[in-house]
Amino acid sequence: MGRDFPFDDCGRAFTCLPLVDPTAQVESLTCNLDALLYIMTHKLGRGCPPGVWVCSTDMILSVPTSPEVCWEGFRGARVFSLPASVTYARDHGVYLTDAQGLVRNIFYRGSEAQMQQCARPDGKVPLVSGVVFFSVEMAECLLATHVSPPLDACTYMGLDSGARPIQLSLFFDILLCMARDMNRESFLAGCHPEMGQGDTEQAGDRRSARAVLWKGLRDQPLSLTYVPDGTYEYMTSSASAHLRSLTLPRDLFAQIVHSQVEKPQFLEAGCSVVNSLLEGEVHLGPGSVIHHCHLQGPIHIGPGCLLLGIDRASSSALHGLPLHDLILQGHYIQLQATSVQVFTLIGRQDSWQSPALGKGTYLNVPWTEFFQRTGIRDGDLWDLDTRPAERCLLTARLFPVFFASRPPGPQDVLWLLGPPGGGSLQAWRAAWRMSWQQLQLHLDRAAALASRRALFFQQAQGKVRRVLGGRQDLSLLPLIRAATREGHQGPLLATLDQVAAEAEDLGVAARALACIADVLGCMAGGQGGLRSGPAANQEWALAFQYLERGDVAKGVEELARERTKWLGRPALLVRAARHYEGAEQILIRQAVMSACHFVTMEPVEPPPYGHWVVVECPSRVDFSGGWSDTPPITYEHGGAVVDLAVLVDGRRPIGAKARRIIEPELRLSTGTCSGEVFTELVCRSLEDLQDYCQPHAPGALLKAAFICAQIVQLSSPKSLQTQLHHGFGGGFELHTWSNLPHGSGLGTSSILAGAVLAALHRAAGRAVGTQALIHAVLHLEQMLTTGGGWQDQVGGLVPGIKIGRSRAQLPLKVEVEEISVPPGFIQTLNEHLLLVYTGKTRLARNLLQDVLRNWYARLPAVVDNAQALVKNAEECAQAFCQGSLPLLGRCLTRYWGQKKCMAPGCEPQAVRRMMDALKPYVYGQSLAGAGGGGFLYLLTKEPRQKEALERVLAQTEGLENYSIHLVEVDTQGFSLRVLATDTSS
């Protein structure tokens, strides 16, 4: 058979394995070559010096763990050996080594005594396994020999010079001369066992070649590394051995790999499906393998079968025909510059080269039985002058490649299984037929690879639908990278469009749009600017309007239409990706707004004109679980956050007050509780409120609150003044304040939103409970387009220590449970808890964009981290119940690591210096909120450490504008008062 491989037209190196690499950055089929490269790079070659690796691709290796290889002082060459039985190793070669691991000899088909000399205590012997490493010096020595006659005859340069070719063995010529037990005369007189003796002149050339090798390489040491837990399987021409190697359980092997199987219940244990589409009922028996096929059932494939390269149209020939111990393959061959698909059929037990007149079989039965069953004659398969010894399966002209009126199909070989009928024998005889040996000369490997690639991306469309529709936590980013690199982004985009348009779940549609943004980003190839940025170009406005109105299908259609204009260059692709993320945010907003189901209120008598409704709120400290409360994570995965309502320096730092006024207008003011004013606005028309969704616009939060509270209807044809006059008999004045710096991380904006809504609703004559406020703030922040989750308002509106939870479902509902702590523990906590203002601020929105992008991509690290956040929150709640400061400290430390995993880059260098300086004095510490700056909170080992830690930080270089603040748990929660007189606090 030479180097051809009868079970894959692309050869042993490109035979696909049923192997899944969960860490792959780009999704692809794993070929034997890929597996070997991985083993050499990440297991055998860890820490190796510069040099040259040589590896055969004729075997399947498995190396479960990385061997400890000492490379210190390494020189010469190193072979890697795996264990094998004496019987198996005899035909492959065995190493004999000394106590220092140097190779003494290499035996091929050695005697019993030689084999036992090599045996290990477990009875295994070190197999010649096809992997060699050459040091740089050794490689240079070897390279220097190729210009010396007669070794130049091993290269094309020598052949072009007219030299007769010489075949040398890597192991039994090149490496053998380095073995310690070899002497010059026996080496020169020998011949590597894979070669015949040939004529005398060729023997002389081989002796001369070995003499050059001996002179150049003899002084180089040859060492061995034995891999005791590895396995080696030579890829023979035996169908049984090949099927066994693809179905034996081993590390990372899976039953269904890069395939779509509609009814996996019809796959029995011990079978394998790779790069295939199985539609309908396709039964696959144990020990059977399907590679690169598109089959439409009903089809029954029994045990011991291999199907490869069968397309959907051809699979109809298998209906009603049970297969057992058969190898059916589709091949592409070149006939006069035309690629043609042909089919071959052999038996699992057939031998390729056994003579037909001897023990040879075809389709697992003797040739004589096959001739009697089909009516085929000896002369149909072989020429009369073909010697009996050469009349074998390899040379039998069995397989039709051309018919005058139609292309070949599987039925043209499947009829060989039974008696001829319907003219099948006559049609077969009339066809142009080839033997397996002849087919190998005409294989169109480029067409075979193209067919496999097309099938891979065809089944990938099914994976996209399955993962998105099934809300699976699998990352599609490796598949997206593969599609864009291979030019298959068009079908992928069409599939994502379809999923988004047809999804009944807004979360599924939003994730599909996020995947489209990833496709566009990958198409940009890392160019075109940052992915995070604005998404309000008017060209996309119509699509956004459809989505805002809830017409997702029409919105997706308009997005796709607009997208076609933005594919020309990287900058446009990135801008288009941003707008898809903007569209995704609209759907997230609508999903989160389902929380409105839980916003209930009761009508009450509104305060008189001029009476202030004053709301004051504590801040919050998140002790664990943050980010799991963030949409869409919170309703796709579920969330849990432990929060503390806290006073900062003895006071509630956040508040709002509202009152009704006679004038039909809105007077807005933001500032501090000491009376310092940052913003003052008067809104007299609806146009003055249009920028409510731009977070940086003056008074945006306050404007959005009026709309969220349904005091103002922006879409109403009535003017603002008319709405205020008819609805409330006048306007409103609204003031807000905060004593915390911008970007503090203490939940200021969300808690302030809760305070504003509480004050507005009460001023408008409505009573709203805490649970309703929590959900109303979710609604408000989505209107404001800042996103955000629910932990801040839970922390600041609900008193004391509590854990908030949300389930993985819509509508989004937050449930809060108070955490009971031992008596006196709150006072203990107050004495050990400190806030340190780091002097750094950071708005969480850019962090949020990055986190959401990674979540929608379902990066494994992010998914695992989301699970760890929830778990840590539950453990933190238990630590509070136990009143254990050390346990709480461990939860805090773990939590900070989880935040950094979720949002890399959220720890500025100055903050790291600060945390390192404080570490000896604390049980645990973390930046509040999303990180990046703001407040650091500490759980100190000793009580009342404010002054001591101020001295520590004063001696730490690189810190500035920091300050330490006292903090205590607020057990009362937010307060609401109605005051008849003006107040600024």
Side-chain angles (χ1 to χ4, degrees):
M1 296 288 294
R3 308 307 288 178
D4 295 324
F5 188 53
F7 310 116
D8 197 298
D9 291 350
C10 298
R12 292 173 171 88
F14 294 98
T15 295
C16 292
L17 304 179
L19 192 149
V20 177
D21 182 3
T23 65
Q25 293 295 300
V26 179
E27 188 161 320
S28 64
L29 300 173
T30 301
C31 299
N32 189 34
L33 179 61
D34 299 316
L36 293 171
L37 287 172
Y38 180 86
I39 288 172
M40 286 188 290
T41 305
H42 298 286
K43 295 192 174 182
L44 302 182
R46 287 193 313 161
C48 74
V52 177
W53 286 89
V54 178
C55 181
S56 168
T57 60
D58 288 354
M59 74 289 191
I60 297 176
L61 289 187
S62 176
V63 180
T65 58
S66 301
E68 293 296 328
V69 182
C70 179
W71 294 100
E72 185 176 354
F74 171 74
R75 55 186 290 265
R78 172 164 283 159
V79 293
F80 290 81
S81 177
L82 285 79
S85 67
V86 171
T87 302
Y88 185 83
R90 181 174 280 110
D91 290 332
H92 293 275
V94 181
Y95 294 114
L96 175 65
T97 60
D98 61 18
Q100 288 72 44
L102 294 177
V103 175
R104 292 174 51 192
N105 210 332
I106 307 175
F107 299 127
Y108 181 77
R109 294 181 179 171
S111 66
E112 187 67 27
Q114 289 174 326
M115 301 301 284
Q116 290 303 321
Q117 192 180 3
C118 301
R120 301 261 167 167
D122 61 359
K124 303 289 187 180
V125 292
L127 185 73
V128 173
S129 304
V131 183
V132 184
F133 179 75
F134 294 113
S135 69
V136 171
E137 296 77 15
M138 173 70 187
E140 289 175 347
C141 290
L142 184 58
L143 188 63
T145 65
H146 87 280
V147 295
S148 304
L151 286 180
D152 60 345
C154 296
T155 70
Y156 73 88
M157 293 292 287
L159 297 181
D160 290 349
S161 300
R164 288 183 306 177
I166 295 179
Q167 181 179 348
L168 295 178
S169 165
L170 170 65
F171 295 94
F172 301 106
D173 285 314
I174 295 174
L175 295 181
L176 185 61
C177 75
M178 302 161 63
R180 295 299 89 193
D181 286 358
M182 291 300 299
N183 61 65
R184 186 175 186 276
E185 279 310 311
S186 61
F187 177 70
L188 296 186
C191 172
H192 71 77
E194 294 174 330
M195 297 290 295
Q197 291 301 316
D199 56 37
T200 305
E201 192 170 355
Q202 286 180 329
D205 287 343
R206 280 197 299 272
R207 180 181 177 88
S208 298
R210 283 190 161 201
V212 175
L213 292 173
W214 183 272
K215 180 179 179 181
L217 306 181
R218 177 59 186 172
D219 293 335
Q220 295 286 342
L222 177 63
S223 57
L224 177 140
T225 293
Y226 185 68
V227 186
D229 62 349
T231 59
Y232 171 102
E233 292 176 75
Y234 182 72
M235 301 174 74
T236 71
S237 59
S238 163
S240 295
H242 183 60
L243 287 171
R244 186 171 58 251
S245 69
L246 295 181
T247 53
L248 276 178
R250 65 181 83 204
D251 190 36
L252 296 181
F253 269 32
Q255 183 180 51
I256 302 174
V257 178
H258 301 301
S259 299
Q260 181 181 356
V261 180
E262 281 189 2
K263 298 188 176 183
Q265 65 269 28
F266 289 100
L267 305 185
E268 296 191 36
C271 66
S272 173
V273 181
V274 178
N275 193 38
S276 296
L277 274 165
L278 306 187
E279 302 173 352
E281 295 185 10
V282 179
H283 184 280
L284 191 60
S288 288
V289 173
I290 294 178
H291 276 202
H292 317 301
C293 292
H294 186 171
L295 306 182
Q296 187 174 40
I299 293 174
H300 187 97
I301 301 167
C305 291
L306 169 64
L307 269 68
L308 190 148
I310 309 300
D311 58 24
R312 182 179 180 182
S314 302
S315 71
S316 60
L318 303 178
H319 292 176
L321 184 65
L323 303 182
H324 187 282
D325 289 335
L326 295 170
I327 315 298
L328 175 64
Q329 298 184 73
H331 312 266
Y332 287 94
I333 65 171
Q334 282 277 355
L335 294 180
Q336 298 181 349
T338 300
S339 189
V340 178
Q341 188 179 26
V342 301
F343 299 88
T344 60
L345 181 70
I346 65 169
R348 178 179 64 83
Q349 301 168 13
D350 294 343
S351 169
W352 289 98
Q353 293 177 311
S354 294
L357 297 181
K359 295 182 179 180
T361 64
Y362 179 54
L363 300 180
N364 305 311
V365 299
W367 282 95
T368 53
E369 181 178 334
F370 168 74
F371 290 149
Q372 291 172 0
R373 184 179 67 203
T374 61
I376 292 174
R377 297 188 294 267
D378 185 281
D380 293 324
L381 302 178
W382 299 283
D383 294 332
L384 293 177
D385 57 353
T386 302
R387 292 185 299 140
E390 295 176 353
R391 298 189 179 194
C392 58
L393 176 56
L394 184 63
T395 59
R397 293 190 297 269
L398 281 161
F399 312 117
V401 299
F402 181 77
F403 291 90
S405 58
R406 60 174 178 84
Q411 68 277 5
D412 297 313
V413 292
L414 289 171
W415 78 270
L416 299 172
L417 293 170
S424 52
L425 175 60
Q426 291 76 12
W428 179 85
R429 280 183 171 147
W432 176 12
R433 287 172 282 109
M434 287 186 179
S435 67
W436 186 274
Q437 193 173 58
Q438 291 168 327
L439 281 174
Q440 295 297 305
L441 302 176
H442 296 273
L443 290 177
D444 188 346
R445 294 181 174 86
L449 289 173
S451 174
R452 295 177 186 185
R453 184 185 298 113
L455 185 58
F456 175 83
F457 287 108
Q458 187 177 356
Q459 64 82 26
Q461 312 309 311
K463 177 179 179 178
V464 168
R465 295 187 184 92
R466 186 170 64 252
V467 168
L468 295 180
R471 302 169 185 82
Q472 298 178 19
D473 286 336
L474 291 177
S475 177
L476 292 176
L477 197 54
L479 177 56
I480 289 171
R481 293 192 185 108
T484 53
R485 293 183 185 186
E486 295 286 342
H488 282 260
Q489 63 270 14
L492 179 57
L493 286 170
T495 298
L496 290 168
D497 287 337
Q498 187 178 17
V499 171
E502 297 176 356
E504 298 179 359
D505 186 314
L506 288 174
V508 172
R511 186 179 174 190
L513 295 184
C515 288
I516 293 176
D518 281 336
V519 174
L520 297 173
C522 287
M523 290 171 65
Q527 303 178 21
L530 297 175
R531 281 278 296 275
S532 297
N537 188 291
Q538 285 302 307
E539 298 296 323
W540 299 84
L542 179 59
F544 284 13
Q545 289 169 16
Y546 283 125
L547 296 177
E548 293 282 11
R549 292 201 294 261
D551 192 344
V552 176
K554 194 69 175 176
V556 170
E557 180 184 349
E558 183 60 28
L559 284 170
R561 187 194 63 78
E562 183 62 30
R563 181 178 70 214
T564 60
K565 307 174 186 176
W566 296 69
L567 305 179
R569 60 181 188 273
L572 292 177
L573 286 164
V574 170
R575 290 168 64 192
R578 290 194 204 122
H579 283 81
Y580 264 93
E581 290 184 347
E584 150 212 320
Q585 287 291 336
I586 294 173
L587 299 186
I588 293 176
R589 187 181 316 138
Q590 292 175 345
V592 173
M593 285 180 180
S594 66
C596 291
H597 285 77
F598 310 107
V599 178
T600 59
M601 56 193 74
E602 297 291 334
V604 295
E605 186 67 26
Y609 290 103
H611 283 55
W612 288 102
V613 178
V614 182
V615 177
E616 293 178 308
C617 296
S619 184
R620 74 95 181 91
V621 170
D622 55 315
F623 251 66
S624 57
W627 284 119
S628 74
D629 66 303
T630 305
I633 300 173
T634 190
Y635 61 76
E636 292 185 347
H637 175 271
V641 182
V642 173
D643 270 318
L644 279 64
V646 295
L647 305 179
V648 180
D649 293 328
R651 66 190 305 172
R652 291 172 176 155
I654 301 165
K657 62 180 183 178
R659 67 178 178 179
R660 292 195 298 148
I661 56 177
I662 299 297
E663 296 82 358
E665 63 188 22
L666 305 178
R667 300 175 187 171
L668 313 178
S669 172
T670 64
T672 65
C673 62
S674 60
E676 183 181 1
V677 176
F678 298 146
T679 303
E680 274 190 314
L681 295 170
V682 179
C683 300
R684 297 187 174 90
S685 68
L686 294 177
E687 286 72 20
D688 295 334
L689 298 170
Q690 292 291 343
D691 58 356
Y692 76 92
C693 57
Q694 300 174 24
H696 298 292
L701 171 61
L702 282 62
K703 296 174 183 179
F706 278 100
I707 299 168
C708 180
Q710 296 184 341
I711 292 173
V712 176
Q713 303 285 341
L714 267 188
S715 59
S716 172
K718 298 178 181 178
S719 67
L720 174 62
Q721 293 183 344
T722 301
Q723 292 185 49
L724 293 174
H725 180 74
H726 288 172
F728 306 96
F732 290 85
E733 187 172 351
L734 174 62
H735 294 193
T736 63
W737 61 87
S738 170
N739 271 6
L740 299 172
H742 181 66
S744 68
L746 297 180
T748 307
S749 60
S750 298
I751 298 171
L752 184 60
V756 168
L757 288 174
L760 279 182
H761 279 299
R762 184 64 184 87
R766 308 162 187 159
V768 183
T770 303
Q771 188 75 359
L773 276 178
I774 290 170
H775 293 88
V777 172
L778 276 169
H779 184 191
L780 171 58
E781 291 197 321
Q782 293 301 321
M783 291 180 57
L784 192 61
T785 71
T786 53
W790 45 256
Q791 64 146 315
D792 296 345
Q793 58 266 37
V794 167
L797 300 179
V798 180
I801 306 169
K802 59 274 176 183
I803 181 169
R805 298 184 180 91
S806 63
R807 299 180 184 180
Q809 63 185 34
L810 290 173
L812 173 57
K813 183 179 183 181
V814 183
E815 298 173 305
V816 184
E817 175 188 346
E818 179 185 354
I819 299 175
S820 298
V821 298
F825 182 70
I826 287 183
Q827 181 57 39
T828 301
L829 190 62
N830 291 341
E831 294 177 350
H832 288 262
L833 194 58
L834 286 174
L835 281 178
V836 181
Y837 183 62
T838 64
K840 304 288 182 182
T841 63
R842 183 168 183 176
L843 183 67
R845 185 171 185 186
N846 288 337
L847 279 178
L848 179 62
Q849 286 180 303
D850 293 337
V851 170
L852 294 193
R853 188 176 300 127
N854 292 339
W855 171 254
Y856 270 134
R858 291 303 195 274
L859 300 183
V862 174
V863 174
D864 292 343
N865 199 48
Q867 296 171 348
L869 283 164
V870 172
K871 180 181 179 184
N872 192 51
E874 298 293 347
E875 292 177 0
C876 184
Q878 289 301 313
F880 271 114
C881 290
Q882 297 174 31
S884 172
L885 292 178
L887 281 179
L888 287 173
R890 287 199 285 274
C891 289
L892 269 186
T893 301
R894 193 182 305 128
Y895 181 34
W896 180 234
Q898 291 164 349
K899 284 187 180 181
K900 291 191 290 184
C901 177
M902 191 63 79
C906 68
E907 182 182 80
Q909 186 176 3
V911 172
R912 182 70 264 164
R913 282 197 294 267
M914 185 178 289
M915 296 178 83
D916 288 342
L918 296 172
K919 186 176 180 179
Y921 307 94
V922 301
Y923 285 121
Q925 55 186 325
S926 174
L927 277 177
F935 278 93
L936 174 70
Y937 53 96
L938 322 167
L939 197 61
T940 62
K941 294 178 179 177
E942 301 296 328
R944 297 177 292 278
Q945 290 290 290
K946 181 175 184 292
E947 291 77 12
L949 296 187
E950 282 176 338
R951 290 192 294 270
V952 171
L953 293 181
Q955 298 171 4
T956 304
E957 295 183 1
L959 304 182
E960 56 184 23
N961 299 327
Y962 67 87
S963 56
I964 300 183
H965 302 263
L966 296 175
V967 60
E968 56 186 290
V969 177
D970 182 353
T971 58
Q972 303 302 313
F974 79 96
S975 67
L976 186 151
R977 296 171 292 157
V978 179
L979 302 178
T981 58
D982 192 10
T983 178
S984 59
S985 65

